[in-house]
Amino acid sequence: MLFRSFFSRTLAAGILLLPSVLAGEGKWTPQQVLQLDTAALQRQGLQIPVSRLWDPARGTRLLAATVNIGGCSAGFVSATGLILTNHHCLFALVQEYSRPDRDLITNGFLARTLQEELPGKTTRVTVPRKFTDVTKQVEAAVPTGADDLARNKAIDAKEKELVAACEKKPGARCRVAAFDGGLQYVLIESFELSDIRLVYAPPRAIGEFGGEIDNWMWPRHTGDFSVARAYLDGKPYRPEFFFPVSTAGVKPGDFVMVLGYPGRTVRSLTAAEMAGQRDSYFALRAEVYGEWIRLLDETTRGSAAGTIAVASTQKGLNNVAKNAQGQLAGLKRGRIIEKQAQLEARVLAWAAQRPAFAPAVAAKNELDALTEKRRATAVRDFLLASIANGPIALRQATQLVRLAAERVKPDMERDAAYMERELPRLRDRLERDQKSFFEPADVALLSSLLRRLQAAGQSPLASAPDVNALYASTKVTELTGRLKMFTETTEQLRARHDPLLDLAFALDPALRALDQANKQDDGAVARLRPAWRRAVIAFAGKPVAPDANSTLRVSFAHVKGYSPRDGVFCTPQTTLAGMLEKDTGEEPFDVPASVREAAARIDPAKIPLDFLADADTTGGNSGSPTVNGRGELVGLNFDRVWENVANDFGYNPDIARNVNVDIRFFLWLLKDVEEADTLLKELGAAPAR
Ligand code: GLU
């Protein structure tokens, strides 16, 4: 469908060769991949037919081994359910089992038997099975003359209906994904595995070597990998397909593919919308989360238990805050918004002369106006939305209050986050939270949030409550009290007169109003974006991959260095020797003694560690299998270079580099440092060819 205009033009001209734009830019959907020209891809280095990537009829082949693990990507790497992903993707599971006297974060973890593997309370994996275009059904569900809120409601209801039918199959987890804001809707059926156990995590000093200093940077020397195993009915899961692990390695110029679940990019936004994202989202993330990181540092200093409890939250905030700074810097440096405005002007002029694209002009103007309108409440809206990422207790209280109100409604009429299908995971989360709760840290974050809400004006609260008193008497922060609240009605929750629940009740109208405003805007975007995108894609005259939306994508790339700035060129591969060079003995550059000793027995310059490629990736691609032209696993994507963080707004081939960990380093570590023979045997690394 996305190719229709392109194909009709090229067919008319008598050519059907897809251009060499295929490597580099584009997070291609499985459906798009099948329409790509194998010969063109083979010229780039693909050694298998594209049909080996995905068999839509049977829902199998390489992409069936590419799974989603809690918003990250991962790959099956053994016939008995081993899953390889990033260390940072399984970090919360490592943190779940860490205690001051058994600090798995610092020491790492290796299960030497199946019995020793550690089940994650909230870790889940989805395996892709089927993609069905449901655009016509979704569009037909919208009544003529519907306003934007009604449009959103109708689309939402149709999606819920399609999902419910899809999930009748045992183990199925389904969603309807909108592409290009509603130009296309696809029903995605996956198989969900909810028993996921930790098998291996390296010490943090390897998995996160370089810490926040090296994060989003190159040159890099991080061993960002961990291993889990999926179970079904208490037995190791046998995947339909798994990636053979290759020891053949990569070298500059080699073809690679990155397969995974990129989360969200904003390249299809108008220039004005991009400016809105910059000011009302990334700038606020950098500022607010920057403060929260400092508060977590201060309140846990000197407490081993506190440090472990907040480790996962803090790591997440650090990653997101530095990313936000990278987005801001990259937008400026690459003049991305200015370039988008120039492109837009050309599309507008082109569309204005073609009656078929007349709606695009009006749509674009209306999209711009929507963004401008939201600026007035941007700070307050951001803070309210950030309840999800900050003080744990307030997030829990708002969820409990909302759950009680939603539960009395028929399932299909509830807010999607509180439908029956979500309740087991919501309960698991409320339980799991206990391992991340540290009261002094939570008090500090809540105080900051409330102070900022007051300062932003239009605060939903008449006055800020006394936060210390509130934590002293609430039962929300106690596991048993909280789980009891999980089943209570609104009246029961109110009757408790719990100060934290009361705060959540006081915030509830504002949270609902924000929800409504978002839904109304979503309805407008579903009406406007397709018209605008149709014009942009027709104007481009070539296949255009849609923005990332947490669905399965493929990026074709090559191993490649880059020039981050004038006079500097970075080569694309690092080795263990570089890690040893960076070793200061102090966090975050403290190479573990076991690694130093093993490295002394070999030539560390011969152990490849990380490598760059020009794959088109974003957050969510963490843990993506990076495979060679034969579809064998050669690495794992885990990051991008600093100059490329803002590629979420626009791809620039000069600086578009993703950072991968070389599978050969992982294998060396398992063999020479961990002596993990059983695990290595199960991985059965394919010999070099
Ligand atoms: N380190 C990145 C993250 O955690 C990986 C994906 C990306 O390139 O954004 O979000």
Side-chain angles (χ1 to χ4, degrees):
M1 144 124 197
L2 290 164
F3 283 179
R4 203 183 297 140
S5 57
F6 169 71
F7 277 130
S8 49
R9 279 154 132 241
T10 44
L11 280 172
I15 344 158
L16 191 78
L17 251 205
L18 296 193
S20 57
V21 293
L22 296 181
E25 179 167 7
K27 301 171 179 74
W28 305 102
T29 67
Q31 304 89 310
Q32 283 184 311
V33 164
L34 295 177
Q35 297 176 47
L36 299 177
D37 177 26
T38 300
L41 278 166
Q42 284 175 340
R43 278 195 296 279
Q44 312 250 1
L46 182 69
Q47 296 177 45
I48 50 176
V50 281
S51 57
R52 286 268 295 281
L53 283 170
W54 183 244
D55 174 348
R58 294 179 44 239
T60 182
R61 303 278 163 100
L62 276 183
L63 288 176
T66 309
V67 300
N68 186 314
I69 181 159
C72 276
S73 306
F76 280 122
V77 284
S78 87
T80 35
L82 281 185
I83 294 170
L84 191 57
T85 186
N86 289 151
H87 174 262
H88 76 267
C89 296
L90 289 178
F91 187 78
L93 176 44
V94 179
Q95 185 260 337
E96 187 177 338
Y97 282 92
S98 291
R99 298 188 310 252
D101 59 338
R102 193 191 182 219
D103 187 352
L104 303 185
I105 297 177
T106 305
N107 305 326
F109 172 78
L110 172 65
R112 297 213 178 256
T113 62
L114 293 182
Q115 290 69 35
E116 284 174 24
E117 296 174 359
L118 304 173
K121 183 86 193 154
T122 52
T123 320
R124 286 176 170 83
V125 159
T126 53
V127 186
R129 271 209 305 219
K130 199 169 178 184
F131 301 83
T132 312
D133 189 320
V134 291
T135 313
K136 287 210 172 70
Q137 283 148 276
V138 173
E139 280 172 354
V142 180
T144 19
D147 63 16
D148 289 333
L149 200 54
R151 169 178 294 269
N152 175 266
K153 236 182 146 187
I155 293 173
D156 189 56
K158 187 68 193 177
E159 288 181 356
K160 283 175 179 163
E161 182 193 312
L162 290 165
V163 166
C166 177
E167 290 186 352
K168 290 226 163 77
K169 278 194 201 160
R173 181 83 184 165
C174 306
R175 68 175 277 217
V176 175
F179 293 77
D180 276 305
L183 189 56
Q184 189 185 25
Y185 292 91
V186 177
L187 174 66
I188 301 172
E189 180 193 323
S190 304
F191 182 67
E192 184 173 73
L193 295 156
S194 52
D195 184 354
I196 308 298
R197 307 184 192 173
L198 183 67
V199 175
Y200 173 68
R204 188 177 199 168
I206 294 294
E208 206 184 304
F209 185 77
E212 282 311 315
I213 298 173
D214 273 8
N215 196 11
W216 304 106
M217 296 287 180
W218 183 263
R220 198 67 168 274
H221 301 87
T222 311
D224 198 347
F225 43 71
S226 282
V227 184
R229 189 190 304 279
Y231 281 76
L232 186 64
D233 301 327
K235 289 198 274 309
Y237 175 67
R238 304 195 75 86
E240 177 87 13
F241 195 92
F242 64 91
F243 291 101
V245 174
S246 168
T247 53
V250 289
K251 54 181 191 320
D254 278 1
F255 172 85
V256 288
M257 294 179 277
V258 176
L259 319 172
Y261 295 82
R264 179 171 177 263
T265 55
V266 287
R267 291 179 194 165
S268 63
L269 300 193
T270 68
E273 290 178 300
M274 286 184 175
Q277 284 283 308
R278 177 192 60 201
D279 303 336
S280 307
Y281 187 65
F282 288 112
L284 296 173
R285 271 188 154 191
E287 187 196 322
V288 177
Y289 295 175
E291 186 199 6
W292 288 2
I293 292 160
R294 284 192 298 281
L295 291 173
L296 291 179
D297 264 339
E298 281 164 27
T299 49
T300 57
R301 198 164 293 144
S303 161
T307 304
I308 288 176
V310 307
S312 187
T313 313
Q314 192 168 24
K315 187 171 158 71
L317 288 173
N318 265 319
N319 191 43
V320 165
K322 193 165 175 191
N323 170 290
Q325 288 162 7
Q327 305 273 3
L328 297 172
L331 278 173
K332 208 162 159 190
R333 184 179 191 257
R335 303 186 62 253
I336 296 176
I337 298 178
E338 292 82 344
K339 285 184 193 156
Q340 185 77 338
Q342 284 161 10
L343 173 69
E344 226 164 79
R346 289 167 57 212
V347 177
L348 284 171
W350 179 92
Q353 288 169 8
R354 289 164 175 79
F357 292 102
V361 181
K364 189 247 167 214
N365 291 336
E366 224 187 304
L367 286 168
D368 289 356
L370 275 178
T371 280
E372 289 311 310
K373 187 188 74 192
R374 291 301 289 265
R375 278 184 182 262
T377 55
V379 178
R380 192 193 62 158
D381 292 351
F382 176 82
L383 291 168
L384 289 173
S386 293
I387 291 175
N389 307 325
I392 293 177
L394 181 60
R395 193 244 306 144
Q396 294 168 334
T398 54
Q399 285 177 324
L400 290 164
V401 162
R402 191 64 187 269
L403 169 64
E406 294 293 324
R407 213 204 296 263
V408 294
K409 298 182 192 166
D411 198 36
M412 297 294 260
E413 283 167 35
R414 292 183 199 171
D415 183 290
Y418 297 92
M419 290 173 72
E420 283 304 315
R421 66 198 280 274
E422 298 295 340
L423 298 192
R425 60 194 75 217
L426 181 56
R427 194 185 180 285
D428 283 350
R429 174 120 193 253
L430 288 172
E431 195 175 330
R432 161 69 180 84
D433 279 341
Q434 206 62 15
K435 300 262 176 68
S436 296
F437 180 73
F438 184 63
E439 189 168 310
D442 224 54
V443 167
L445 294 198
L446 182 58
S447 305
S448 157
L449 180 76
L450 294 176
R451 182 178 43 74
R452 283 180 179 275
L453 261 179
Q454 277 327 103
Q458 313 139 331
S459 170
L461 302 171
S463 61
D466 176 344
V467 175
N468 282 305
L470 196 148
Y471 277 84
S473 57
T474 184
K475 294 273 180 291
V476 172
T477 56
E478 287 170 18
L479 182 60
T480 40
R482 186 164 70 247
L483 292 183
K484 211 158 165 273
M485 293 173 192
F486 184 75
T487 55
E488 288 181 1
T489 63
T490 301
E491 292 67 37
Q492 286 170 312
L493 292 179
R494 277 199 188 275
R496 282 175 171 268
H497 298 296
D498 184 295
L500 204 55
L501 289 175
D502 288 347
L503 176 61
F505 277 118
L507 288 170
D508 193 50
L511 289 170
R512 282 170 186 269
L514 177 58
D515 258 16
Q516 284 296 101
N518 289 343
K519 283 183 175 151
Q520 178 159 345
D521 282 6
D522 288 350
V525 167
R527 171 171 60 83
L528 301 166
R529 183 88 60 212
W532 174 239
R533 289 300 292 167
R534 235 171 248 131
V536 173
I537 293 167
F539 176 81
K542 61 180 183 185
V544 177
D547 261 322
N549 57 358
S550 298
T551 62
L552 184 53
R553 304 293 178 96
V554 179
S555 168
F556 302 100
H558 292 95
V559 177
K560 221 178 197 172
Y562 82 118
S563 172
R565 57 190 174 275
D566 193 28
V568 178
F569 184 81
C570 291
T571 58
Q573 286 178 288
T574 60
T575 68
L576 177 57
M579 178 186 253
L580 297 168
E581 248 169 49
K582 281 183 177 173
D583 186 15
T584 60
E586 267 170 51
E587 216 189 318
F589 295 101
D590 47 345
V591 180
S594 55
V595 173
R596 273 189 273 116
E597 282 153 24
R601 298 193 292 269
I602 47 133
D603 177 358
K606 292 224 167 81
I607 307 294
L609 215 176
D610 290 341
F611 68 90
L612 293 177
D614 61 351
D616 191 355
T617 57
T618 187
N621 270 122
S622 289
S624 290
T626 303
V627 302
N628 62 19
R630 292 187 292 269
E632 300 159 347
L633 192 93
V634 290
L636 279 185
N637 173 74
F638 73 96
D639 209 3
R640 279 170 287 166
V641 300
W642 182 248
E643 296 73 22
N644 187 35
V645 174
N647 97 347
D648 289 355
F649 287 85
Y651 184 90
N652 176 352
D654 297 337
I655 51 165
R657 297 294 178 274
N658 69 310
V659 187
N660 310 269
V661 60
D662 195 305
I663 203 66
R664 290 172 291 177
F665 176 69
F666 168 69
L667 296 172
W668 173 78
L669 195 77
L670 284 191
K671 184 167 153 286
D672 280 20
V673 179
E674 309 285 8
E675 296 173 2
D677 297 350
T678 316
L679 184 53
L680 273 169
K681 205 162 152 217
E682 189 177 344
L683 286 165
R689 271 184 261 170

